[in-house]
Amino acid sequence: MDKQQQEWWRGAVIYQVYPRSFQDSNGDGIGDLPGITARLEHIARLGAEAVWISPFFKSPMADFGYDVSDYCDVDPMFGCLADFDALLARAHELGLKVLIDLVLSHTSDQHPWFQESRASRDNARANWYVWADAKADGTPPNNWLSVFGGSSWQWDTRREQYYLHNFLASQPDLNFHNPQVQEALLDVARFWLDRGVDGFRLDAINFGTHDAQLRDNPPLPTEMECPGAPRSNPYTHQRHLYDKTQPENLLFLARLRQLIDQYPGAVTVGEIGDDLQYPTLAAYTRGNEHLHMAYVFTLLTEECRAPYLHRVIAEFLDEAGDAYACWSLGNHDVPRIVSRWEQLGGSAELRGRLLLAFLLSLPGAVCMYQGEELALPEAEVPYELLQDPYGKVMWPEYKGRDGCRTPMAWDASANGGFSDGMPWLPVAAEHIERAVAGQEAQVDSTLAFYCHLIEWRRAYPVLRHGNLHLLPAHEQVLAFEREHDGERVLCAFNLSDRPARYELPLRWQLEHLNEAGFQAETVLGAIELPPLQAGFARIVEGV
């Protein structure tokens, strides 16, 4: 395998599939692996290079698969290992790489490892999870909080100790300070690499190690932000200095990278939720010793105006300029992008097209969440149909993640063609109006535009591999230059519902790239952008 084949991931478009909601093949109302296999052609036609599949391992489904009870088997609701092998083979036939979602920081409390660990203080796996004695007054060992609300410590009557859980109480944290735990997790990765997967998306990967001294977290300074949780969550009141992102985590990632490198072309994509997002991104992806790439939460926010995005990119360049990012505007944990950034104005379709252009113009790889290519808005799920435990705890200020997890709409039939049975979440009527079949029949649909723009980007190595030079901030427009092998391209985005004019250096001459499909106009010394439009132009100096 040559270097270009091994580094296929640089500038790649990765498509995320949430298995429960992609396609049901057996009428039980829950998406499954055969359903994904049947729909892989859709992903290939879109122009993606890889598909990331959220967890399908055996699980009691307290957190819908992110609570694993067996890392090396498929939960029966999704199929079996033979179904996964068939999916992998079909994906490779279509030229798609397959990344699976490994949840290494914690397991389900139903995992045999935890069942043994909690049985006593002196069994073979007693130290595989994070256990600690109560304080003298019986309270938890420290002030650490769970992302899902409340203390991150749960009392266990068997051992008469607390165990750590950064998420649900039924998701106990593994003890990465134990070398046996690291070996077991490396064996898990090896199992799937030997089966033929092309790499891993690593869930909450900076949560692996904790402070061995169990020191209290300090309050969050007023000038800082805590990503990954709504403001109504007390988790956002702490500076998470000791419960995650410890230096020892990099030692484990180095061991994982050594394993991955034994499989040419295999890659890792890390999810990083940390108070210091960009420095952590840089540390975790710098060089060739840890992750290949990672994403942070700076674009998974409700803030979206041009000045904010300018600041996001400026801070990225300043704090993590040598990092390799995998940018994303949405996933299974945040409201759908066209609704989350509704304040930009215009229609969901206009916003979707503009935001795809912005995403595809960023340096690094990009990840799209299923349904973004249809400009699907956030679905409204009434409380009585809510499934997400996070939403049930935080209701009504935070309604959870079900609104972005409702099933894909493939056609105008009952349940949008997702299932012949009752879907586990309702298929939104407005999603059926934007179903794949209907959009495939329209030459000017959002889906057609996505296919076109992804293919258009592929023709410009400068957009996949170029350096980014940020241009001056503007109230409406985000603008930057991409440069690669002597080619320079201006990328400008009017993130408002009003026409905008962006002044450029007078020495620049622009050659407009009209094939991108936007309505911007280049004039002497400026680019003029209609509402919610992007503009791309080659830059020629000397005028």
Side-chain angles (χ1 to χ4, degrees):
M1 183 180 292
D2 62 26
K3 182 177 180 181
Q4 184 175 359
Q5 290 175 314
Q6 289 192 45
E7 297 191 345
W8 62 266
W9 48 275
R10 293 189 179 275
V13 174
I14 303 169
Y15 185 98
Q16 182 193 355
V17 166
Y18 192 67
R20 296 180 70 93
S21 298
F22 202 58
Q23 178 66 63
D24 172 24
S25 70
N26 60 9
D28 67 356
I30 298 173
D32 46 42
L33 296 182
I36 297 172
T37 303
R39 296 295 188 181
L40 285 173
E41 288 188 19
H42 169 76
I43 301 172
R45 286 195 300 269
L46 191 63
E49 282 95 350
V51 54
W52 147 30
I53 306 175
S54 289
F56 50 82
F57 315 109
K58 278 191 174 179
S59 166
M61 299 294 163
D63 191 24
F64 300 107
Y66 284 88
D67 51 322
V68 179
S69 59
D70 186 341
Y71 283 109
C72 296
D73 203 356
V74 174
D75 194 278
M77 74 167 53
F78 296 128
C80 60
L81 282 170
D83 292 325
F84 178 78
D85 293 339
L87 186 160
L88 190 64
R90 180 57 178 150
H92 288 167
E93 286 177 4
L94 293 168
L96 290 169
K97 307 291 185 181
V98 176
L99 310 180
I100 66 172
D101 205 329
L102 280 188
V103 189
L104 300 182
S105 72
H106 56 269
T107 70
S108 165
D109 62 359
Q110 301 304 305
H111 197 293
W113 297 347
F114 187 72
Q115 294 292 303
E116 183 175 354
S117 185
R118 80 188 316 180
S120 69
R121 297 192 185 194
D122 57 2
N123 66 77
R125 291 193 171 93
N127 195 35
W128 277 45
Y129 292 80
V130 184
W131 294 94
D133 292 331
K135 290 181 178 179
D137 62 358
T139 56
N142 59 29
N143 70 345
W144 296 353
L145 296 173
S146 163
V147 176
F148 288 172
S151 173
S152 62
W153 295 98
Q154 177 67 34
W155 181 254
D156 185 85
T157 56
R158 299 162 186 81
R159 292 181 48 144
E160 294 189 8
Q161 285 182 305
Y162 284 97
Y163 66 83
L164 180 67
H165 62 93
N166 277 299
F167 299 93
L168 293 175
S170 58
Q171 294 171 293
D173 276 61
L174 285 159
N175 180 13
F176 275 65
H177 293 292
N178 185 336
Q180 292 178 310
V181 170
Q182 294 193 23
E183 288 295 336
L185 294 176
L186 292 174
D187 285 344
V188 168
R190 188 178 293 109
F191 172 87
W192 290 104
L193 289 166
D194 286 344
R195 207 162 196 98
V197 302
D198 302 290
F200 307 107
R201 181 264 188 182
L202 300 169
D203 182 69
I205 193 56
N206 59 308
F207 282 78
T209 51
H210 63 286
D211 174 48
Q213 300 178 52
L214 302 182
R215 287 171 284 187
D216 280 351
N217 282 329
L220 186 74
T222 55
E223 68 275 9
M224 291 185 67
E225 296 179 357
C226 178
R231 296 184 188 277
S232 55
N233 189 337
Y235 185 83
T236 63
H237 297 179
Q238 286 187 357
R239 166 80 172 88
H240 293 277
L241 194 60
Y242 296 117
D243 53 351
K244 59 183 178 181
T245 323
Q246 300 304 292
E248 298 92 336
N249 209 39
L250 289 172
L251 301 179
F252 170 74
L253 291 181
R255 298 188 67 195
L256 178 62
R257 179 60 178 263
Q258 290 170 4
L259 171 63
I260 294 285
D261 285 346
Q262 297 173 28
Y263 299 81
V267 302
T268 51
V269 184
E271 176 195 38
I272 294 173
D274 191 53
D275 303 341
L276 299 176
Q277 297 190 75
Y278 288 138
T280 304
L281 173 67
Y284 278 46
T285 65
R286 183 182 292 122
N288 299 308
E289 298 179 356
H290 302 114
L291 301 177
H292 293 80
M293 51 186 166
Y295 70 87
V296 295
F297 293 1
T298 51
L299 296 180
L300 301 178
T301 62
E302 293 183 0
E303 294 186 70
C304 59
R305 298 291 185 183
Y308 171 75
L309 296 182
H310 186 277
R311 177 164 64 86
V312 163
I313 296 175
E315 290 176 352
F316 168 74
L317 296 173
D318 182 54
E319 300 175 9
D322 57 350
Y324 201 89
C326 180
W327 298 97
S328 176
L329 296 178
N331 61 29
H332 62 289
D333 283 333
V334 295
R336 287 193 171 276
I337 183 61
V338 295
S339 295
R340 199 171 77 248
W341 287 10
E342 189 174 17
Q343 61 183 288
L344 295 179
S347 66
E349 287 72 20
L350 273 178
R351 289 194 299 277
R353 298 178 189 206
L354 174 68
L355 297 176
L356 175 68
F358 165 60
L359 183 66
L360 293 179
S361 300
L362 294 172
V366 300
C367 189
M368 293 171 47
Y369 180 51
Q370 64 183 48
E372 288 180 7
E373 72 274 25
L374 308 176
L376 297 185
E378 181 79 350
E380 283 292 329
V381 180
Y383 182 80
E384 61 272 16
L385 297 179
L386 212 62
Q387 302 291 324
D388 184 13
Y390 193 8
K392 292 178 181 178
V393 170
M394 294 291 173
W395 184 278
E397 292 302 317
Y398 175 64
K399 297 181 179 180
R401 301 164 294 178
D402 288 340
C404 68
R405 297 178 174 185
T406 57
M408 276 281 284
W410 296 100
D411 57 42
S413 65
N415 299 325
F418 165 73
S419 176
D420 293 333
M422 178 65 70
W424 75 287
L425 283 172
V427 182
E430 60 269 32
H431 290 189
I432 294 177
E433 294 171 359
R434 294 175 168 87
V436 171
Q439 294 208 28
E440 284 181 334
Q442 301 171 14
V443 296
D444 60 347
S445 68
T446 300
L447 175 58
F449 183 85
Y450 266 57
C451 295
H452 162 73
L453 201 63
I454 292 171
E455 180 62 29
W456 173 80
R457 173 179 178 262
R458 188 171 286 116
Y460 290 91
V462 63
L463 294 178
R464 290 171 61 95
H465 308 299
N467 295 322
L468 186 148
H469 307 290
L470 194 57
L471 296 175
H474 186 280
E475 188 62 30
Q476 297 170 258
V477 177
L478 173 69
F480 49 78
E481 172 191 349
R482 300 293 307 279
E483 185 275 328
H484 179 70
D485 281 351
E487 183 174 20
R488 302 168 62 203
V489 170
L490 165 69
C491 307
F493 310 92
N494 181 2
L495 294 151
S496 77
D497 55 3
R498 308 183 314 278
R501 176 184 175 93
Y502 189 84
E503 302 293 336
L504 299 167
L506 290 176
R507 69 181 185 278
W508 282 6
Q509 178 182 349
L510 302 178
E511 296 177 357
H512 194 44
L513 304 178
N514 289 309
E515 68 269 24
F518 289 100
Q519 301 171 16
E521 294 291 338
T522 57
V523 296
L524 184 62
I527 186 166
E528 294 181 344
L529 299 139
L532 296 173
Q533 290 286 308
F536 298 92
R538 286 192 181 89
I539 302 169
V540 181
E541 292 195 60
V543 175

